[in-house]
Amino acid sequence: MAEKSIQWFKFASPARFYDLTGRLVWGFGILAAVLFVVGLYMGFVLAPPDYQQGNSYRIIFIHVPSAWMAMFLYVVMAIYAAVGLIWRIKTAEIMAKAIAPTGALMAFLALWTGAVWGKPTWGAFWVWDARLTSSLILFFMYLGFIALHAAIEDRQRAANASAVLALVGIINVPIIYFSVHWWNTLHQGATIKATSAPSMAAIMFFTVIVMVFAYWMYSIAAVLARARLELLEREKHAAWVSERLNLPRTKETPHA
């Protein structure tokens, strides 16, 4: 059991992490592109209009996956931040920092598409609904995490402060999810539940699932690509960076 743990922890090494992620970025990126093409074709060509909302409902194929990913990525970011805070694992700190911009993008897409959907449905682009307000707070938490990293020059202090913020903000994720049950909100409840059949046509359901996987693959590819760049910046004087990039060694580059 100990040997297996060592095998997993070896990927925390910056050089091994860089090598592994380099093989994964392209694969996840290609999968994301294929799934986006398939999902958008299913959603905007094959899926029929909704009997109540007509064609305006199609925004859910962008809105729902982005909202799910915004919450999921925040939890993953907080976990990585906690690992970096507690065990001082550099790659965990880098992953937390790399996730934040993608999570912020997903939160923004969820808010923007929600506003587009809300205008024909509620008659307004924005209402101070519990689900919408807590989602806006999530977006601001992402921005705060990014801002802390940018504002504090010392990387370790920046990582520690950002980790604390991420862990405090994680309480907002279940609030977003359960807000439609805890308060009387305009936002509709979940149409896809693990405990019951989805309350939508099969083609609509499978389109949402395809788009969720597309967003997931994209997020993994984007985060890993950003993490690799951050790692190169932090380790630019390390010998393994010169070896991987075929750079000539300088006197300032320490030997491994």
Side-chain angles (χ1 to χ4, degrees), residues 122 126-135 179-180 184-187:
W122 301 332
W126 180 266
V127 292
W128 291 102
D129 176 271
R131 171 67 63 86
L132 273 65
T133 304
S134 53
S135 296
S179 59
V180 294
N184 182 23
T185 70
L186 289 174
H187 200 288

Side-chain angles (χ1 to χ4, degrees), residues 222-243:
V223 168
L224 292 181
R226 193 177 295 110
R228 283 165 59 82
L229 292 175
E230 177 68 19
L231 187 60
L232 286 178
E233 172 63 25
R234 292 193 181 200
E235 297 284 304
K236 58 187 176 183
H237 296 304
W240 70 266
V241 173
S242 300
E243 293 170 1

Side-chain angles (χ1 to χ4, degrees), residues 85-103:
L85 179 65
I86 297 169
W87 288 287
R88 293 289 190 267
I89 297 177
K90 184 185 299 183
T91 49
E93 296 173 0
I94 289 173
M95 282 297 293
K97 184 178 179 181
I99 288 170
T102 302

Side-chain angles (χ1 to χ4, degrees), residues 170 200 222:
I170 202 170
M200 61 172 60

Side-chain angles (χ1 to χ4, degrees), residues 7 11 37 44 52 65 92 118 127 135 157 168 181 198 216 222 236 241:
Q7 290 296 315
F11 291 112
V37 170
F44 290 90
Q52 286 183 321
V127 292
S135 296
R157 288 180 57 237
V168 170
H181 303 291
W216 199 355
K236 58 187 176 183
V241 173

Side-chain angles (χ1 to χ4, degrees), residues 153-219:
E153 293 186 6
D154 182 79
R155 283 176 176 165
Q156 192 59 61
R157 288 180 57 237
N160 293 347
S162 300
V164 172
L165 176 65
L167 292 173
V168 170
I170 202 170
I171 193 174
N172 187 49
V173 175
I175 291 175
I176 296 173
Y177 185 80
F178 292 109
S179 59
V180 294
H181 303 291
W182 292 345
W183 294 285
N184 182 23
T185 70
L186 289 174
H187 200 288
Q188 69 182 61
T191 55
I192 300 176
K193 301 178 182 178
T195 56
S196 61
S199 57
M200 61 172 60
I203 183 65
M204 299 176 185
F205 169 74
F206 286 115
T207 301
V208 171
I209 297 303
V210 170
M211 289 299 290
V212 167
F213 277 103
Y215 274 76
W216 199 355
M217 297 302 104
Y218 165 79
S219 297

